[in-house]
Amino acid sequence: MDTRTAAYSDAEAIIGFDHVAQSERSRVNFIHHAIASRSCFVGLVDGRVVGYGVLEYTFFENGFISMLYVHPKFRRRGVGCALMRHMEQACKTEKLFTSTNRPNTRMQALLKKLKYRSSGTIKNLHETDPELVYFKRLQRQAT
C-alpha cells in the first residue's frame, strides 16, 4: 500500500471507480481541479490507483479533507486509513477537519480509529441527511 500526490495520468483510474464521477460532470471537474492544484492524493495497491483523497484549505483557512473515496473492491483493506494519514502529514495547518453524512458509519468508524473528534452537525445540506463534522489537532514540529 503506497500513497502519493495524484498525477494527471491518475484521473482516468479515479473516475473509473468513483460511481458519482461516472454520472456527474461536476465530480469529474472536481477531480481534475484537485489534481491540477496538487491537493489530490492517491492510494495504490500493487501500483494500481484504488483510492483518492482531497485536502483543501477552504474551511476557515484550516485543512479540510473534502473527499475520501476508495474503490469498492478495496475497502476495509487499509487504503482509506493510509490516505488519511498521508493527508494528515501533508496538512499545513494545526487543525484538520473533515465531514461525512450520518449514514456513512464506515467513515465514522475510520475517523474514530484515527482519533478525530466530533465537532458538530450541519443541517440542510441534504434534506434528510445531516453532515457530521470531525476535527483533529495535529502535532506540528517547531521550525
Side-chain angles (χ1 to χ4, degrees):
M1 172 73 236
D2 293 313
T3 55
R4 63 168 168 75
T5 303
Y8 291 111
S9 58
D10 297 322
E12 186 177 336
I14 293 168
I15 294 164
F17 65 75
D18 182 332
H19 76 282
V20 176
Q22 294 168 17
S23 62
E24 293 183 20
R25 184 69 195 167
S26 61
R27 179 69 74 92
V28 172
N29 293 339
F30 169 79
I31 292 165
H32 285 292
H33 174 75
I35 291 171
S37 64
R38 301 190 52 77
S39 61
C40 185
F41 303 91
V42 291
L44 302 103
V45 172
D46 298 327
R48 177 181 174 194
V49 175
V50 297
Y52 76 106
V54 177
L55 172 62
E56 302 176 303
Y57 298 93
T58 55
F59 190 72
F60 302 96
E61 299 180 7
N62 290 292
F64 186 81
I65 297 171
S66 61
M67 177 61 63
L68 180 68
Y69 195 103
V70 176
H71 188 301
K73 292 181 180 177
F74 290 88
R75 291 180 181 161
R76 315 279 299 162
R77 296 188 189 182
V79 176
C81 187
L83 278 166
M84 290 292 291
R85 288 188 171 135
H86 185 94
M87 290 185 284
E88 288 174 8
Q89 291 296 315
C91 186
K92 299 173 187 171
T93 61
E94 183 180 309
K95 296 178 184 178
L96 180 57
F97 291 86
T98 192
S99 69
T100 189
N101 57 353
R102 183 168 283 154
N104 192 345
T105 55
R106 288 182 178 178
M107 180 64 171
Q108 292 169 44
L110 175 61
L111 294 170
K112 183 177 181 178
K113 175 181 175 179
L114 294 173
K115 303 201 183 316
Y116 282 75
R117 294 182 293 162
S118 176
S119 192
T121 304
I122 300 172
K123 297 179 181 178
N124 304 310
L125 287 175
H126 309 284
E127 290 302 315
T128 59
D129 188 7
E131 192 76 6
L132 307 175
V133 179
Y134 289 85
F135 158 80
K136 186 172 187 178
R137 187 173 303 277
L138 303 173
Q139 301 297 321
R140 294 286 166 238
Q141 302 269 339
T143 56

